[in-house]
Amino acid sequence: MAALACALIFMHPAFSEGGGEKASENAGGPGFFTMPPVVVNLAGQDIDHYLQVSIVFQTSQPGVVEKLKEYEPILRSRTILVLSSKRRKDVDSLKGRQLLTDELVDMARVTVPGDDKAPDKGIKDVLLTAFVIQ
């Protein structure tokens, strides 16, 4: 019985090749834009620390992803400026990383022209998919 249920679920068009993208576009669901990994020197004078981070921008609508792609060079530059202004102690804790993601969301909303600042209409969140301090 469980095998039949799994088979029926995976036969659904949303799980078939290419079906998921069309389903989310038609439904007006979220979109995701992955920026190439960023490596920066963290601020501070005592010891050199490096931060490597992978960032995914989550949008409320798939159409916003196209704008993020269009403005990627500016987003990348401003992301580097934000990250390189941080000290290790600023990003070592969970609270510090949450503040960083909030700052990156605000930066992206200001960078992309026409982005509605409401999370349910434009850039919803920034996801840190990799975060390495050395």
Side-chain angles (χ1 to χ4, degrees), residues 68-102:
L68 289 168
K69 288 178 184 176
E70 186 178 335
Y71 284 87
E72 180 183 353
I74 299 169
L75 281 170
R76 188 168 175 80
S77 175
R78 291 183 178 176
T79 298
I80 290 170
L81 292 174
V82 168
L83 295 174
S84 62
S85 71
K86 303 299 177 195
R87 294 170 293 171
R88 182 179 179 136
K89 71 178 189 171
D90 297 334
V91 293
D92 256 350
S93 67
L94 177 60
K95 182 178 179 180
R97 292 176 192 178
Q98 289 171 334
L99 291 172
L100 175 63
T101 60
D102 292 345

Side-chain angles (χ1 to χ4, degrees), residues 33-69:
F33 171 69
T34 303
M35 184 182 296
V38 176
V39 179
V40 298
N41 294 323
L42 292 173
Q45 298 177 0
D46 52 348
I47 299 175
D48 287 339
H49 290 287
Y50 304 95
L51 172 64
Q52 179 181 358
V53 64
S54 294
I55 298 171
V56 176
F57 293 91
Q58 180 183 7
T59 67
S60 299
Q61 303 164 349
V64 179
V65 172
E66 292 305 315
K67 285 195 174 194
L68 289 168
K69 288 178 184 176

